[in-house]
Amino acid sequence: MAKNSVDMEDIQTVDLMSELLRRMKCASKPDKRLVFIGPPGSGKGTQSPVIKDEFCLCHLSTGDMLRAAVAAKSPLGVKAKEAMDKGELVSDDLVVGIMDEAMNRPKCQKGFILDGFPRTVTQAEKLDEMLNRRGAQIDKVLNFAIDDSVLEERITGRWIHPSSGRSYHTKFAPPKVPGVDDVTGEPLIQRKDDNADVLRSRLDAFHKQTQPVIDYYAKKGNLVNIPAEKAPEEVTKVVKKAVST
């Protein structure tokens, strides 16, 4: 009971009722520990918030966790900042340690979605070791499988209105006038990374780095391949079914 009272102290009064309602709704949900794997443009970012809310999970991204740990000046955060200040990569042990701390947050009580981690088999093994110490394990690894040519069409067709963040797609969601924002009439731009050459190099790097991780989880029997080329609503149905079973 004491732990809950401490948790509640961190919540603004205006948010207290919604937090209590969230906890009541989530009390009956089963625990889920998920890993989402997929190349840029595969739809992970679209599905994560839906699954997070549906199953009362927290979304853990290594970048966000590192920034939060550094800002909080936790012992691990201080070590991570030292590494980053020197221009060094933060070690796998440090990242997993910060992840271990993040899992103690109330919103992670029912489990988590890991996005962007693990990227290597060594990281996957260290993650398993940390979860084993907690008496837990990864339940499902969802691999957002999609052909590179489909990704190329998705990403190279994206256009952005810089000041509002509105996004368009030449094929799937075109503006009323090509190259022009529907609301303001201002010109649209393409991000520098949203071109075929940059995308191909990112995809090559992704496949080389991630395939061994996919193989690692396939051997463990908890990998589910998601047909990510389908429409987002269809993908959501497949993902929900995969997570529920």
Side-chain angles (χ1 to χ4, degrees), residues 92-227:
D92 291 342
D93 287 324
L94 258 182
V95 173
V96 171
I98 288 169
M99 204 171 284
D100 193 12
E101 285 182 349
M103 287 174 192
N104 292 326
R105 297 197 312 237
K107 286 192 175 177
C108 297
Q109 189 179 359
K110 285 293 179 181
F112 55 79
I113 296 171
L114 267 179
D115 186 356
F117 190 93
R119 291 177 185 269
T120 66
V121 171
T122 301
Q123 289 176 349
E125 290 169 344
K126 287 181 183 294
L127 175 63
D128 282 347
E129 288 165 12
M130 180 267 281
L131 289 172
N132 286 339
R133 290 195 294 273
R134 286 176 161 265
Q137 62 181 13
I138 295 295
D139 297 304
K140 290 278 169 67
V141 178
L142 275 57
N143 176 34
F144 287 74
I146 185 166
D147 193 86
D148 286 358
S149 61
V150 177
L151 283 178
E152 191 170 322
E153 182 180 46
R154 275 188 186 179
I155 288 178
T156 57
R158 291 198 298 208
W159 287 81
I160 310 291
H161 178 240
S163 59
S164 71
R166 276 186 290 277
S167 63
Y168 300 88
H169 192 283
T170 48
K171 180 176 178 182
F172 305 116
K176 291 170 186 170
V177 178
V180 175
D181 178 49
D182 287 352
V183 179
T184 64
E186 293 170 351
L188 303 175
I189 64 159
Q190 270 198 308
R191 291 195 185 103
K192 286 179 184 174
D193 287 353
D194 287 355
N195 70 68
D197 291 337
V198 171
L199 177 63
R200 283 188 204 113
S201 67
R202 287 175 74 195
L203 288 174
D204 285 346
F206 172 82
H207 293 312
K208 281 176 191 164
Q209 189 179 48
T210 312
Q211 193 56 50
V213 178
I214 292 168
D215 295 341
Y216 173 84
Y217 285 119
K219 284 175 189 165
K220 284 182 163 284
N222 56 1
L223 182 80
V224 181
N225 287 313
I226 303 297

Side-chain angles (χ1 to χ4, degrees), residues 47-62:
Q47 302 301 328
S48 287
V50 178
I51 301 305
K52 175 176 81 80
D53 292 344
E54 175 86 10
F55 293 92
C56 296
L57 308 175
C58 64
H59 179 262
L60 298 177
S61 106
T62 47

Side-chain angles (χ1 to χ4, degrees), residues 79-98:
K79 286 183 182 176
K81 187 174 188 303
E82 285 172 4
M84 289 189 282
D85 286 347
K86 291 177 189 169
E88 297 171 357
L89 287 173
V90 179
S91 72
D92 291 342
D93 287 324
L94 258 182
V95 173
V96 171
I98 288 169

